[in-house]
Amino acid sequence: MDIEAGPTGATDGGRAVPVEWTVMESGIGPLFLAATERGLVRVEFHADAARRERMLDRLAAQLGAEPVERASGLLAGAIRRLDRYFAGEPGDVDLPLDWSLTAGFNRQVLRELASGVPYGTVVGYGELARRVGQPGAAQAVGAAMGSNPLPVVVPCHRVVESDGGLGGFGGGLETKRQLLALEGVLPAPLF
C-alpha cells in the first residue's frame, strides 16, 4: 500500500505529521524504523546509538516533527512483518509506505522497484531504468538506490549489475549478500 506525500516532507494542512521510531534486531543487525500515520517512512541499517541520533535529527528536520519512541503502535505491523521476513518467510514486505522522503525520478524508480521486482528475483540497473522509460539512466538508478529511505521494504538489495556483479549497497555488500541469500538468490555462506 502506498501513501503519497509531498517531496519536502510530511505535512497535513501545514502541520507536521507525528513520527514514531524504534530500533529492532534483525538477521542483519539493528534496524532503525520510523513511521508516520501514513506508513513506514524510514529504515536505516546498522542502527547503533550514534546513527540513531543522526537519524532522529534528520527526521525532525525533514518532517517538521520531533520523532517519538514507539508511542502509539504505528510500527507494530512493520516489526511483525520484518520479523517474519528475517525468519525466512517468503514474500515481499508489503506495508503501508509514506513516500515523503523521496521525490521525482528517485521516487519513480523506487516505486517501480517496490511493485515490479518480487521476492527472490533481481533486476539490473539498466533494466530498471528501461522500465521507468529512461533506458540510458542506469547510473541515475544507482543514485536512486543510494537514496532509498526504505531499504529492505523497498528492496534495493535486489538491484544488481548486468554482468552479475552485486553493485553497490548503502548497507554494505555483506548485508546485500545476506539479504539475497535469505531470499534464495545467492547460496548461503558455508560458514
Side-chain angles (χ1 to χ4, degrees):
M1 177 184 202
D2 299 326
I3 306 296
E4 290 294 333
T8 57
T11 61
D12 183 15
R15 70 175 177 83
V17 174
V19 183
E20 295 182 13
W21 69 274
T22 194
V23 174
M24 71 171 281
E25 288 303 319
S26 76
I28 55 171
L31 292 176
F32 175 92
L33 306 176
T36 68
E37 60 197 15
R38 295 177 175 132
L40 195 63
V41 72
R42 185 77 179 129
V43 175
E44 180 78 14
F45 295 112
H46 316 298
D48 60 18
R51 186 171 292 222
R52 181 185 67 231
E53 292 307 314
R54 286 192 305 272
M55 287 308 310
L56 292 171
D57 291 344
R58 185 179 303 157
L59 281 171
Q62 291 172 318
L63 300 176
E66 198 63 40
V68 177
E69 189 170 8
R70 245 181 158 178
S72 72
L74 290 177
L75 292 162
I79 292 167
R80 278 192 306 275
R81 182 58 190 106
L82 285 165
D83 277 341
R84 291 193 315 263
Y85 172 83
F86 286 110
E89 180 180 298
D92 290 314
V93 182
D94 187 27
L95 295 166
L97 302 177
D98 179 338
W99 291 96
S100 62
L101 297 181
T102 188
F105 178 78
N106 288 357
R107 183 185 289 184
Q108 182 183 10
V109 169
L110 293 171
R111 289 174 66 91
E112 173 59 30
L113 174 63
S115 65
V117 184
Y119 181 94
T121 66
V122 294
V123 66
Y125 293 94
E127 170 61 18
L128 196 50
R130 188 191 63 71
R131 288 185 188 186
V132 297
Q134 300 291 328
Q139 286 184 318
V141 166
M145 297 304 102
S147 72
N148 182 4
L150 296 160
V152 180
V153 179
V154 176
C156 52
H157 61 278
R158 296 181 191 154
V159 183
V160 297
E161 295 175 345
S162 59
D163 65 1
L166 287 181
F169 193 63
L173 288 181
E174 183 53 34
T175 300
K176 187 171 188 172
R177 279 187 198 91
Q178 289 175 311
L179 291 169
L180 291 172
L182 176 71
E183 294 187 17
V185 175
L186 293 177
L190 295 176
F191 6 152

